[in-house]
Amino acid sequence: MSTTPVKNALPNKDRMKIARQHMIEQDPSARARNFLEVNQGFTPELATCESTRCIACPKPTCMLGCPVSIKVRDFIDLVFAGDYLGAAAKIREDNVLPAVTGRVCPQEDQCEGGCVLGKKGSPLAIGHLERFVADYEQSTGQVGLPPIAPATGKRVAIVGSGPAGLSCAGDLIQRGHEVHVFEALHELGGVLIYGIPEFRLPKTIVRQEIDNMRKMGVKFETNVVIGKTVTIDELFEKEGFTAVFVATGAGLPQFLGVPGEHLNGVYSANEFLTRTNLMRAYRFPEFDEPIYDCKDKDVCVVGGGNTAMDAVRTSLRLGARNAYLVYRRSDKEMPARAEEVKHAREEGIQFMTLTNPVEFIGDENGWVKAARCQKMELGEPDASGRRRPVPVAGSEFVLPVNVAVIAVGTSANPLVQSTTPGLATNKKGYIQADAETLRTSKKGVFAGGDIVTGAATVILAMGAGRKAAAAIQDYLTSGQW
Ligand SMILES: Cc1cc2nc3c(=O)[nH]c(=O)nc-3n(C[C@H](O)[C@H](O)[C@H](O)COP(=O)(O)OP(=O)(O)OC[C@H]3O[C@@H](n4cnc5c(N)ncnc54)[C@H](O)[C@@H]3O)c2cc1C
């Protein structure tokens, strides 16, 4: 490890001539049929070369794009100097899950979206470098865990172990509080474990990051459904917690509301991915979980976000003959990460954009056998700012499918809200929380992540977790509500 800073002596105009380095990837034809990680990471040589491209802007706009304010320039300087452990420790000052965010953040909209290099060419591969140093750190076993303040004796409960809950727990434990994370499922990690597939985010990575938090002193309890096993009021009154952070996500699947959606073979993406990832259906019979019979079948996934992309690529890996992505807008409006769309195309996913299912048709045994679809065109922008899809008259056609997966969004699970008197929600059922302090209408209760914003991103949920931790710290020290 280097202790003296090594400066990049290359003039900026020469740095800008270096091409963005590409991460090594599994070959598309091989990876389309296995669950191993697609991206293989940077080598130290690739990382050094990529870090050389940074032009060290005096006002780094990359940092402004990061919801948890990672000190991007500082960590890139450390990569350039070959101090990978120092670089990882620098990221950990603001982000407890660097190996995760390096893999799944929509960097093109965040840090890399703000990179000046992107104005005339390709932005710095900040996400790839973040992943590289986080993986390097894990491989050495020398994780630079931050120092923990002396015990305050205050107890904080966190409901949900997704990125919002984990990030809040990571900050509060450093302040010396006793932090308990309660998780309804038998595995920790939220969407990182049950939603995002192994080929994009290996579960060992998530487990390692959670183990680091355990080492910092965070206490985790699985199979505890808050609102059923114990209520929020009981956490205060019987368990002696002073503050509670609700980070329960938005895991309730939405459907299209079209005829035939009840047929056998039509699933929510949530169920499809949870069975495959969390219950390891893809390793049947080693894991005794019924597998979806996608082998040599025609599968359509409806939607255009990360969830849709994960489901359709999963179906291919489960052996689908044809894997269709049916999306009612065009490529341009697709909300999925750019890299996932590129990978999906390379793997042979058949994109049917400007297309919408209007009915699922069943066979005599009640199994789906086709989707009646309609072509769409783009009209005026709607409330989301994206152009509204409008049906094209007389354009209906029938697409034979044996499996259909609906990935058109999720909403709030109502359990905590309905069992916590005095907790205000909006008309969609999400918890209302102050934008700055994340305080809810109920004393001592804070909320953040998808349960407040609706389905968003890992890093935004982590940003909310950090904000909540700062506000909880204020509350615990001042006692003022
Ligand atoms: C398939 C899929 C792919 C995605 N891909 C990406 C991506 O590539 N990049 C990206 O940035 N974002 C992605 N997202 C979005 C991102 O994962 C979410 O925005 C993020 O996980 C939200 O974090 P959270 O902590 O608010 O909630 P979650 O991750 O949903 O975690 C909430 C946790 O709370 C638990 N819980 C719920 N109710 C209770 C209760 N009553 N008691 C105890 N525990 C409870 C849940 O079991 C869950 O573990 C994806 C989402 C999905 C579904």
Side-chain angles (χ1 to χ4, degrees), residues 103-106 110 159-166 182-185 187-192 194-197 200 224-228 247-251 269-270 273 277 306-308 310-311 337 340 410 413 415-416 448-451 454-462:
R103 284 171 165 81
V104 304
C105 263
Q110 297 175 337
V159 187
S161 66
L166 292 177
F182 298 102
E183 169 55 51
L185 296 174
E187 274 242 34
L188 301 163
V191 170
L192 307 179
Y194 77 76
I196 303 181
R200 218 151 63 76
V224 180
V225 185
I226 302 295
K228 260 202 179 359
T248 45
N270 203 307
L273 289 170
N277 297 326
N306 286 318
T307 308
D310 284 344
R337 290 179 75 224
E340 309 318 326
T410 50
N413 185 322
L415 184 61
V416 167
D450 282 5
I451 188 59
T457 63
V458 170
I459 199 79
L460 282 171
M462 290 180 69

